[in-house]
Structure formats: structure tokens, C-alpha cells
Amino acid sequence: MPTPATIKLNSGYDMPRVGFGLWKVANDTCADQVYNAIKAGYRLFDGACDYGNEVEAGQGVARAIKEGIVKREELFIVSKLWNTFHEGDKVEPIARKQLADWGVDYFDLYYIHFPVSLKYVDPSVKYPPGWSQGNEIEFSNATIQETWTAMESLVDKKLARSIGISNFNSQLIMDLLRYARIRPAVLQIEHHPYLVQPRLIEYVQKEGLRVTAYSSFGPLSFLEFHMENADNCPRLFDSPVVQQIAAKHGKSAAQVLLRWSTQQDISVIPKSDKPYRLAENLNVLEWDLEEADIKAISALDKNLRFNDPLNYGMYVPIF
């Protein structure tokens, strides 16, 4: 049966189940891609300080609003707090800068991007600051509790309607829930058939958090980084299991992979600059995979993680 196009967050707001991810969207095309995605029906845009394209994404939004294609309240704009802004007094100033970059008054959802606190870098010196300012990564002493308390103040001040966490494991979430005055609404994680993480997903869903998957197509997102585990990994689009299921349902491999997630109550944020792919990626709610299909795809699990700092040559062993 069809899956509803939105999900209710524990903050009371509705979030689209399928959005448009802005990671690696080039600055020179970002505004047009956002604008075209809005025209194609996308309402959730998943951005971040670290992506370096929030100004351009905001330009695409502004253009669509100006032309009357959409109203601000019909959009669900997402951003993330970068690692160098975890100190309590740094959270609100950078959130306000990001809001200004987007040209909006509030974020619908604002995540802690990674559970890693790095030394502060003034935006006037380098922005986005990345992981390292030299040869070594410099950590700060900010705790997750300090950062989360500051995140909660963003809700109090109506700068963010909902707040969430990204790349957190279950132990960190257990700890955070002990002191959180405002519970995280969403956990965003790398999730695809090579990294299924069933225990983590079961736990957070039982706790009332929603899950959003990134890198739904597995190694495809990481080929440009020349990671050994991505370069030598079979493409999910070429998997006989995925291809057979796609042929059976008359869908593309991409649609099957996205439906595998959405049918398990997991949101997705794919992207494309091709109109037919934009439409295809939205069409992952109106039809169902069989239970045997879901089990067969899940059986591809290799516990293979690509978006790990260690894979980029940085010794930050968070997973």
C-alpha cells in the first residue's frame, strides 16, 4: 500500500519522506538544481555548513519563492552544525550565519553533523573550515551535552523547529537521551544494503526518533575519493539481486534501493541533475516491494561503511 509522503516528528512537525541531498552539489549549478528540484516536486533540502553551497542553495529557494512556485512554509530546509562550532557559545552565531546564507528565518531541522568536537575556526578565517587546518586534527573539549544544550536553545529562540543528530551510534544516543530536554527528532546515518545497521535503527525508532538515510546507493557516492573499499566494491546498481527485483516491479535499480528504505520507515535524500531521475526518485512511495524482496536486499549487508573519517586518512575512530 502507498506510504504517506510525510512523517510526523516528535517535535510535532511533518517532514517529507523523500528529499534532495545537497552533498557534493557544485556551487555553479546548485541554485539551478535546487530550483529545478522544487519545480519537480521536492520540498525537503538537506544541506550543511560543510557542503559549502548554502548560499547557492538559498538562491535557488529564493527564486522559486519569488516566482510563486512554492511558499517558504511549504519547504523543509535542513542544515547541520559543523564540528568546529560545538562550544556552547559558538552554536547560535554559526546557526544564524547559516540561516543568513540560506536567506531564511528558521531551519526546519538542524543536526549535529558528527559527534566530534574540533577546535574553533572563525568563519572569517576559513569557511567552511573542514576537518583540519593543517597537518593535524585539533580537538576541543566541548561535550555533546554542552553542544546539545545550545542546540535546544535554537528551538527556544525559534531558529530551528526541530533538532537532530547525524552519525551517532546507539551508545551516544542512549547517553544523550538521559539529559536531553528536547529529544532529537531525527537520526541521519549512512544506510544502504551494504550497511544495514538493523539494531541501531530498531533502537532509535523504538525511542521515537525518525531515521534518514544518506548515501542510499552505497559506494557510488564515494568513487571520486578513491577509497579502497569503495573502488573494489560491486556497484549496488549492478547487483543481480537488485536488478532482478527491479525487473520484476518494472522499476529502476535506484527506485528499488530507495523503496527498500522508505518501506522500512526510513527517509531518503537522493539527488540528481537529470529531470527523469528527479521524477524517478520521488516515485518510491506509491508501490511496494514484497517482504521477500526486502529480505533479499538486506541480505547483501557487509557492514561496509564508506563515510568514515578513517577512510579519508583522518584518525578520528568514531565508528
Side-chain angles (χ1 to χ4, degrees), residues 10 148 152 163 176-177 180-185 206-209:
N10 59 22
W148 191 252
E152 291 171 328
I163 48 179
L176 188 155
L177 293 179
R181 174 172 59 87
I182 299 175
R183 290 168 72 88
K206 283 184 175 180
E207 287 291 341
L209 282 69

Side-chain angles (χ1 to χ4, degrees), residues 117-133:
S117 179
L118 300 180
K119 182 180 178 181
Y120 174 70
V121 178
D122 192 298
S124 66
V125 175
K126 184 182 179 185
Y127 191 84
W131 283 89
S132 173
Q133 310 315 307

Side-chain angles (χ1 to χ4, degrees), residues 83 114-116 118 131 137 139 308-310 313-319:
N83 307 334
F114 282 93
V116 179
L118 300 180
W131 283 89
I137 292 175
F139 296 94
D308 185 332
L310 296 178
M314 299 175 294
Y315 189 69
V316 187
I318 58 176
F319 298 114

